[in-house]
Amino acid sequence: MRANRRFYDIEPIAEENALLREQLAEARAAKYKGIAEPDASYFRNGGGYTLEHDLAIAECVTKARVSRNQVSRLFSIFGRFYRIKLPTHVQRVPHKKVAGKMTYVERTLLYVGGKTHVKEVCAVLNQAHKLQVGVQLLESPNDSYCYISDGAESLQTDYLAQLLSHRDASGKLQTIALDLSTLHGKSSEAQCAAFRESMRAVAEICRDLKVTTAVEPMLLNFTPSSSMND
């Protein structure tokens, strides 16, 4: 049967196969180009940065422990390493004052959040930690928690980092961040006041996000079973 086919019956099939191969090659090329040269919309959507962009920043800070002042550089470093052409835009930025008047120059900038945006993402993470603490305390009100705090100074400002630690059902030690805030004194009274202020913020964010119907007294009055500070 195949041997009895005439050449003009086979030609259209060959042409169709050639067209399909060409379309497949174009689709593959478009796919890899989208990876090597991502569109600006992957980084910015409308007036703000995309969720994918901000999640990458969050993972750099929380998982890789990268200083928030250095996060933006990672996009350029790994983009160059993987030969990815990051999208750019031209923006007028302040240059210098001439005769008392500010002059501007045009610079080509990456569609990557700078230090100010990374700081905003960290502020959102801080609120997310409070929500995580509130939900966990509400779900396991009878668990015992250890309160851990440590102070540090940066640019003549005292900060207090607060953590809560407890063992889950499997016995594994779990630690969650409660807050990172400025400390208005190094006395035990000041640290206690900072803890109460943080727990009020936990209760309020749970109310605002409809986890609770009101400011939950259990969260306001929460007292750890033990504490450890430096």
Side-chain angles (χ1 to χ4, degrees):
M1 187 76 179
R2 184 185 296 269
N4 293 331
R5 284 183 178 176
R6 290 164 293 187
F7 72 91
Y8 50 79
D9 292 330
I10 299 175
E11 262 189 25
I13 297 177
E15 291 177 358
E16 184 179 351
N17 286 342
L19 179 61
L20 289 174
R21 284 194 294 269
E22 184 179 344
Q23 291 175 345
L24 180 60
E26 290 176 353
R28 286 177 175 172
K31 174 184 176 182
Y32 293 125
K33 184 177 180 181
I35 297 173
E37 299 181 17
D39 190 74
S41 61
Y42 187 69
F43 292 79
R44 283 187 70 90
N45 187 6
Y49 290 96
T50 61
L51 179 61
E52 290 82 3
H53 173 276
D54 287 352
L55 284 177
I57 290 177
E59 287 189 312
C60 288
V61 174
T62 59
K63 293 184 177 180
R65 303 292 193 269
V66 177
S67 166
R68 67 186 186 189
N69 291 332
Q70 304 299 327
V71 168
S72 299
R73 294 185 179 183
L74 292 184
F75 285 87
S76 299
I77 293 172
F78 284 103
R80 186 167 56 251
F81 177 78
Y82 288 109
R83 301 180 182 179
I84 295 173
K85 184 180 178 181
L86 299 178
T88 60
H89 65 287
V90 177
Q91 182 175 327
R92 294 182 72 243
V93 297
H95 180 49
K96 62 180 180 179
K97 282 189 176 183
V98 177
K101 189 175 181 179
M102 179 61 71
T103 60
Y104 294 82
V105 295
E106 289 189 344
R107 287 185 180 174
T108 301
L109 305 175
L110 295 176
Y111 272 113
V112 174
K115 293 180 181 179
T116 300
H117 182 72
V118 175
K119 185 177 180 180
E120 292 173 355
V121 173
C122 290
V124 173
L125 287 175
N126 198 19
Q127 295 301 100
H129 286 150
K130 292 186 179 69
L131 177 62
Q132 180 187 16
V133 168
V135 170
Q136 187 161 314
L137 291 178
L138 291 169
E139 291 178 346
S140 55
N142 298 321
D143 286 3
S144 298
Y145 287 84
C146 176
Y147 170 73
I148 305 169
S149 65
D150 192 11
E153 182 181 344
S154 176
L155 300 176
Q156 298 182 341
T157 301
D158 290 324
Y159 290 93
L160 180 67
Q162 302 177 83
L163 309 171
L164 289 177
S165 178
H166 82 121
R167 296 192 181 277
D168 59 17
S170 66
K172 186 177 180 180
L173 192 64
Q174 301 284 350
T175 301
I176 52 178
L178 170 59
D179 201 359
L180 175 63
S181 58
T182 55
L183 183 61
H184 304 292
K186 296 184 179 180
S187 64
S188 57
E189 291 79 5
Q191 289 199 22
C192 181
F195 171 71
R196 286 302 165 198
E197 184 178 345
S198 297
M199 290 309 303
R200 172 167 287 280
V202 168
E204 289 176 349
I205 197 171
C206 286
R207 176 204 59 194
D208 295 342
L209 295 180
K210 311 298 182 184
V211 177
T212 58
T213 57
V215 174
E216 179 59 47
M218 189 274 283
L219 296 176
L220 289 177
N221 302 321
F222 168 74
T223 301
S225 58
S226 59
S227 64
M228 180 174 64
N229 58 59
D230 186 6

